Amino acid sequence: MVNFTIQQIREIMNKKNNIRNMCVIAHVDHGKSTLTDSLIAEAGIIAGAKAGEARFTDTREDEQQRCITIKSTGVSLYYEIPKDKVPGDADGNAFLVNLIDSPGHVDFSSEVTAALRVSDGALVVVDSVEGVCVQTETVLRQALTERIRPVLMVNKMDRQLLELQLDMEELYQSVSRTIETANVIIATYKDELLGDVQVYPDKGTVAFGSGLHGWGFTLTKFADMYAKKFGVERSKLMSRLWGDNYFDPATKKWKTNPTGSNGKDIPRAFCQFILDPIYKLFDAIMKDHKDKVEKMLKGLNIQLKSDEKEFTGKVLLKTIMKKFLPAAEALLEMIVVHLPSPVAAQKYRVENLYEGPKDDEAATAIRNCNPDGPLILYVSKMVPTTDKGRFYAFGRVFAGTVKTGQKVRIMGANYVYGKKEDLYVKSIQRTVLMMGRYVEPIEDVPAGNTVGLVGVDQYILKSATISTSETAHPMVQMKFSVSPVVRVAVEPKNAADLPKLVEGLKRLGKSDPLVQCTIEESGEHIVAGAGELHLEICLKDLQEEYCGGVPLKTSDPVVSFRETVSAVSSMTVLAKSPNKHNRLFMTAEPFPQGLSEDIDNKVISEKDDPKTRGKILADKYGWDPTEARKIWCFGPDTIGPNMVIDTTKGVQYLNEIKDSVIAAFQWATKEGVLAEENCRGIRANIMDVTLHTDAIHRGGGQIIPTARRCFYAAFLTASPQMLEPVYLVEIQSPDNAVGGIYSCLNKRRGHVISEEQKFGTPLLHVKAYLPVMESFGFTADLRSQTSGQAFPQCVFDHWQQIQGDPYKGDTKSAQVVTSIRKRKGLKEGIPPLDNYLDKM
């Protein structure tokens, strides 16, 4: 029975100190959805008995079947917490928690980015047996760059007790090691404005428990119990219950070393006061000592119902532990006390979120989370509705109030302040509250809350900023940690179904934050995703949901490559314009190592001030300071990792052809010379230019094709190479399956970079690099070689050169170039230099 009404939720929405926007993030299969269940059961949306099995936030059929989360799901929950736990700035003891459950699979980490944008806090879940994994690190890094405050939950503690049967000290060591690893990551990505957000059990920012069994605790829970019993202050006890603190019963004093006054070893306080009762309870229940159990229940004053007394083993254990240490209580207390309200969070997040000046009307309204200011709402993702092909726009109100029927400006991803493109002025049909698998209508939603909008989906592609103010700038675009490198060509089996496919691709492009649907020049429809699983889900959705069951044919997955140069040009190349009156002289050279990555991560970008950017390039990469200031543009798409640099001295009319050269460079880097793939890491230098004095003879029609030929010639003289994308694979497996892992990787040109034994478990952590084009079917192959014991997790890591010379027929590089050219229907063989080079 749901124990709140929409009316109650609407009332709390106005008390902005009583709102918490948070999302649950973790590595795949560490128990996010299962843990979320206990919070949802506490709010009365699902029955307590089903919590842990229902996985309420996995709303799609395929999520329930595969037991993985694919889309992030939002739920708004209403809680009343005990009066003594309420933080100081809150208004009353009723709280509204907007919770988003996100997927842990690396292929869907774009969903996590979308979820993080609308939250202020994150509950990081870590499996106590497997510890901090590669995806935990990725999502934590994403959370901290968005300035989101983490709290930690160490999940699956029941496995430590029942499967591994660790003794108390070992369990303490294993858990504290996990917490330390998490803190190392948090400290690495420290943000000045956010302050120190490391998590400590004695501060109450770490919880322990088991999502499946529905029990969990923070140190506060035990500190409260013992504070009443011994009459000590709670805060004093908290600090003693973790770390190297030992209580000597003989002298009744606290010590910091484990030898007691009588020379015997005394147990650590955490083991003695917290783990000991849990261990005794587990032991008595699992060994079926009924009288012991009854005595303990009396001491803990837990009442069992008559039918519950019949239970035995794990079922009884689950029932008792749920009553003794309810997980929802521990989590709620962490969420309410340690995660920030929108008022607190938007003060320091506005710098990262808002593109415009930080002191204009909109920025001030966001900073103060002002419900009466101009409306600023960021739509982070589109959620499919029950009618096919329509979407709710799911987002968060950062300032102002969004109402049904309100007229708003919708600024899409390509909107530039002051221009008209990608800007629509429309009215919102309805506002709704997202409740997992269903929605509730609501009249208006004030600042600091998440909301679903109806009727704006046809104007938004993936994300957008919605505002009522004419002067508001858009919010900063989300940056994803994975890039769509795996592509598939899709076509309908019957040509008559083509319009349905085109319509379906448009809808698919909306439904997923990362997927890219494009049409190649050859007329193919290309769908690009982050990995095999991501593509598989997208294509399934495309066929069943968005195309109405039309039969489709898909090609084998294809990887996108990049082209680069590996040396300085062997000569200065020259190109003449068609009318022979203008000449361009250029060379090309590769970037220094690390520069392409810096451009990808926006450390160096086209928007920077030329002087400061020039200084970074001169200091860090040793470029000539005068040249480093004269960067004309980046490419492709004006943001890519290639540059044109003007190294000329005293050329007349140079600025007049600048736009034409930039246009030619975008074209040349979008379709490189080897196989018409994007370029990466190329620096093109304009050495000299001779131009006609008459402006009419040096227009775009003369300069653009000339400049493009000149760039191509420069690339060809600088020993061009192909780059391929590489995955970082993290594999977890028992010791005895390592042979299978190595043989499987060696067959696919992979190489292992580290392998480490996980302390206290028979598990090995193997990290390896694996080229993306070798990764298709890798998971299945690995499982068959290790009889299903190894679990791989692939995440895009970097680009690497393909071995060999693309001109020599039998090398890997040449084969790749030939196959791409054949697929694109280009002439065989790399075009010779004479095609582009002119003689004096």
Side-chain angles (χ1 to χ4, degrees):
M1 174 51 214
V2 180
N3 50 15
F4 58 87
T5 61
I6 298 301
Q7 205 50 48
Q8 283 174 303
I9 284 197
R10 182 62 197 87
E11 279 164 22
I12 296 200
M13 282 186 173
N14 296 334
K15 304 179 180 175
K16 43 193 186 180
N17 283 329
N18 287 28
I19 304 169
R20 298 287 182 271
N21 295 312
M22 45 90 60
C23 73
V24 188
I25 55 178
H27 187 78
V28 60
D29 286 340
H30 279 196
K32 292 175 294 302
S33 303
T34 314
L35 192 66
T36 316
D37 268 6
S38 53
L39 282 171
I40 293 173
E42 176 77 2
I45 296 180
I46 54 175
K50 288 181 68 179
E53 272 109 54
R55 301 204 317 284
F56 175 82
T57 46
D58 287 358
T59 50
R60 298 160 45 126
E61 262 175 53
D62 50 353
E63 291 182 321
Q64 289 287 355
Q65 282 162 6
R66 287 168 174 249
C67 291
I68 55 172
T69 311
I70 293 169
K71 299 282 180 208
S72 46
T73 318
V75 184
S76 295
L77 307 170
Y78 169 91
Y79 299 106
E80 289 178 5
I81 68 166
K83 293 261 180 6
D84 56 331
K85 294 273 168 65
V86 177
D89 59 355
D91 177 4
N93 69 332
F95 281 82
L96 170 65
V97 176
N98 294 319
L99 179 136
I100 302 174
D101 178 36
S102 66
H105 219 282
V106 61
D107 282 16
F108 310 119
S109 69
S110 55
E111 288 282 337
V112 181
T113 315
L116 287 172
R117 173 53 67 93
V118 295
S119 342
D120 300 318
L123 173 63
V124 184
V125 185
V126 177
D127 181 335
S128 60
V129 178
E130 291 185 2
V132 174
C133 297
V134 60
Q135 194 55 16
T136 320
E137 184 167 348
T138 316
V139 288
L140 250 179
R141 184 181 70 230
Q142 280 177 312
L144 293 165
T145 43
E146 280 273 356
R147 290 198 182 142
I148 281 166
R149 221 184 170 78
V151 290
L152 189 71
M153 165 78 190
V154 182
N155 199 12
K156 303 197 184 180
M157 294 285 281
D158 55 308
R159 287 182 63 188
Q160 302 262 26
L161 293 158
L162 302 175
E163 271 178 43
L164 299 173
Q165 305 209 339
L166 300 180
D167 64 38
M168 294 184 221
E169 184 59 25
E170 281 173 336
L171 186 129
Y172 170 82
Q173 294 297 347
S174 141
V175 171
S176 79
R177 196 172 278 104
T178 303
I179 296 170
E180 263 170 48
T181 323
N183 277 336
V184 167
I185 298 170
I186 295 174
T188 315
Y189 302 107
K190 190 171 186 257
D191 189 302
E192 292 306 312
L193 278 167
L194 194 53
D196 178 27
V197 288
Q198 292 190 32
V199 290
Y200 305 104
D202 46 350
K203 300 251 168 58
T205 45
V206 180
F208 309 91
S210 155
L212 185 65
H213 289 182
W215 60 271
F217 62 90
T218 55
L219 293 193
T220 1
K221 166 92 180 173
F222 281 93
D224 278 347
M225 286 189 344
Y226 289 119
K228 279 193 196 116
K229 194 172 166 187
F230 299 138
V232 196
E233 273 178 53
R234 182 175 99 182
S235 50
K236 272 189 184 161
L237 255 181
M238 282 278 283
S239 56
R240 293 281 161 78
L241 286 176
W242 184 258
D244 296 331
N245 290 306
Y246 305 86
F247 183 67
D248 189 348
T251 57
K252 297 232 157 82
K253 285 205 168 66
W254 289 94
K255 312 187 70 171
T256 47
N257 61 336
T259 36
S261 51
N262 51 8
K264 283 185 184 163
D265 276 3
I266 44 178
R268 185 184 294 277
F270 180 72
C271 302
Q272 186 182 351
F273 294 113
I274 295 176
L275 293 181
D276 192 48
I278 296 176
Y279 265 78
K280 280 186 178 145
L281 199 55
F282 263 74
D283 193 53
I285 295 169
M286 295 315 273
K287 289 188 178 153
D288 213 12
H289 298 311
K290 286 233 164 76
D291 41 346
K292 252 193 198 173
V293 175
E294 272 173 28
K295 195 173 154 199
M296 282 172 146
L297 291 183
K298 214 171 240 160
L300 298 167
N301 73 50
I302 296 172
Q303 254 86 47
L304 288 184
K305 296 194 187 110
S306 52
D307 58 335
E308 291 173 341
K309 287 184 179 158
E310 303 301 309
F311 295 161
T312 53
K314 277 195 179 175
V315 189
L316 179 66
L317 177 69
K318 186 174 169 176
T319 320
I320 292 179
M321 287 305 285
K322 235 184 205 168
K323 295 190 171 184
F324 172 35
L325 303 167
E329 255 180 46
L331 291 174
L332 265 181
E333 178 200 320
M334 269 208 314
I335 291 167
V336 170
V337 181
H338 297 288
L339 292 184
S341 65
V343 191
Q346 286 179 201
K347 282 191 175 63
Y348 53 79
R349 286 190 68 198
V350 66
E351 312 279 329
N352 276 16
L353 291 173
Y354 186 63
E355 265 188 17
K358 302 291 180 268
D359 52 2
D360 68 357
E361 169 190 39
T364 316
I366 296 176
R367 193 174 283 111
N368 301 333
C369 188
N370 180 4
D372 307 321
L375 170 70
I376 301 281
L377 185 155
Y378 185 79
V379 174
S380 72
K381 60 171 294 198
M382 309 296 277
V383 182
T385 64
T386 40
D387 346 325
K388 293 264 161 93
R390 293 303 299 272
F391 295 89
Y392 295 120
F394 175 71
R396 164 160 169 191
V397 190
F398 283 97
T401 303
V402 62
K403 302 182 184 66
T404 299
Q406 187 177 29
K407 213 176 181 64
V408 292
R409 292 160 56 91
I410 301 170
M411 302 179 258
N414 302 330
Y415 171 76
V416 179
Y417 181 72
K419 297 237 177 79
K420 281 276 189 293
E421 70 177 309
D422 216 355
L423 171 72
Y424 302 96
V425 179
K426 296 288 178 232
S427 47
I428 291 166
Q429 288 176 12
R430 296 205 317 273
T431 48
V432 293
L433 199 62
M434 305 302 277
M435 295 295 278
R437 52 192 76 177
Y438 55 95
V439 296
E440 296 281 357
I442 191 164
E443 275 164 40
D444 55 345
V445 176
N449 290 286
T450 52
V451 65
L453 306 175
V454 181
V456 290
D457 55 337
Q458 55 268 53
Y459 312 110
I460 301 177
L461 179 58
K462 287 173 169 23
S463 61
T465 309
I466 295 182
S467 173
T468 49
S469 150
E470 299 271 326
T471 56
H473 287 249
M475 306 280 269
V476 176
Q477 283 299 313
M478 291 183 291
K479 203 174 127 287
F480 298 121
S481 66
V482 287
S483 46
V485 283
V486 184
R487 309 148 49 129
V488 173
V490 186
E491 51 181 321
K493 285 214 169 116
N494 317 328
D497 293 329
L498 190 63
K500 279 188 182 166
L501 173 69
V502 175
E503 192 51 41
L505 283 168
K506 272 189 193 151
R507 290 172 185 164
L508 176 68
K510 278 191 177 150
S511 70
D512 187 288
L514 188 75
V515 76
Q516 287 177 357
C517 306
T518 48
I519 300 177
E520 289 276 304
E521 282 179 11
S522 56
E524 288 180 305
H525 292 274
I526 300 281
V527 179
E532 248 184 314
L533 182 67
H534 185 208
L535 262 186
E536 187 186 324
I537 301 282
C538 285
L539 292 174
K540 178 174 172 293
D541 278 2
L542 179 66
Q543 186 160 354
E544 292 173 11
E545 297 281 321
Y546 305 126
C547 289
V550 170
L552 301 174
K553 272 198 307 202
T554 53
S555 69
D556 286 341
V558 174
V559 182
S560 34
F561 292 90
R562 295 283 184 269
E563 299 183 18
T564 187
V565 297
S566 55
V568 181
S569 291
S570 51
M571 56 196 252
T572 304
V573 293
L574 152 78
K576 293 181 194 167
S577 63
N579 64 10
K580 304 282 184 277
H581 286 306
N582 307 298
R583 295 176 183 176
L584 299 171
F585 297 86
M586 297 186 192
T587 60
E589 58 181 273
F591 272 3
Q593 243 184 348
L595 180 54
S596 305
E597 285 72 27
D598 272 357
I599 295 176
D600 285 343
N601 299 333
K602 298 276 193 291
V603 178
I604 293 170
S605 80
E606 79 288 356
K607 289 180 182 156
D608 296 343
D609 172 54
K611 278 192 175 161
T612 50
R613 183 175 58 202
K615 194 165 168 21
I616 297 174
L617 289 169
D619 296 349
K620 192 171 172 186
Y621 296 110
W623 283 17
D624 181 332
T626 46
E627 288 177 9
R629 278 189 201 163
K630 288 193 185 171
I631 296 172
W632 270 11
C633 72
F634 290 69
D637 305 324
T638 67
I639 51 172
N642 303 288
M643 293 182 198
V644 181
I645 294 182
D646 165 22
T647 59
T648 58
K649 301 275 189 290
V651 172
Q652 272 181 313
Y653 315 122
L654 184 63
N655 274 344
E656 294 183 24
I657 65 156
K658 183 171 175 179
D659 287 346
S660 305
V661 174
I662 289 174
F665 186 68
Q666 304 304 336
W667 186 9
T669 49
K670 185 102 180 134
E671 298 177 354
V673 66
L674 290 179
E676 295 200 358
E677 291 282 330
N678 285 2
C679 295
R680 179 184 174 82
I682 302 179
R683 164 180 162 174
N685 303 316
I686 302 174
M687 306 302 281
D688 191 14
V689 182
T690 321
L691 294 172
H692 194 277
T693 45
D694 190 354
I696 202 159
H697 291 308
R698 47 165 200 265
Q702 297 291 341
I703 301 295
I704 293 177
T706 313
R708 174 174 172 255
R709 285 181 33 239
C710 201
F711 285 126
Y712 278 172
F715 297 169
L716 283 173
T717 54
S719 61
Q721 289 283 352
M722 296 297 285
L723 296 173
E724 60 177 346
V726 181
Y727 278 146
L728 170 68
V729 192
E730 182 161 300
I731 305 171
Q732 285 198 327
S733 81
D735 310 346
N736 52 9
V738 174
I741 296 176
Y742 275 85
S743 69
C744 199
L745 281 167
N746 291 343
K747 266 191 287 193
R748 295 171 176 265
R749 295 195 297 129
H751 66 273
V752 175
I753 44 172
S754 80
E755 92 173 60
E756 50 188 60
Q757 181 84 31
K758 194 83 181 52
F759 172 82
T761 62
L763 288 179
L764 262 188
H765 248 102
V766 179
K767 281 188 180 168
Y769 286 138
L770 176 74
V772 174
M773 61 189 212
E774 307 287 341
S775 70
F776 304 119
F778 171 70
T779 314
D781 195 14
L782 184 69
R783 295 227 169 113
S784 66
Q785 293 242 355
T786 56
S787 59
Q789 290 177 309
F791 287 96
Q793 180 81 334
C794 301
V795 53
F796 170 74
D797 191 71
H798 64 282
W799 296 90
Q800 78 174 15
Q801 258 190 39
I802 303 181
Q803 294 301 313
D805 183 348
Y807 286 99
K808 297 213 175 88
D810 51 354
T811 58
K812 183 82 192 165
S813 185
Q815 289 162 8
V816 168
V817 172
T818 317
S819 69
I820 298 174
R821 291 189 75 90
K822 194 169 165 190
R823 189 180 84 232
K824 292 188 175 175
L826 306 170
K827 269 194 215 151
E828 270 189 35
I830 299 167
L833 182 58
D834 302 348
N835 284 15
Y836 304 117
L837 188 68
D838 288 330
K839 300 283 179 283
M840 273 303 276

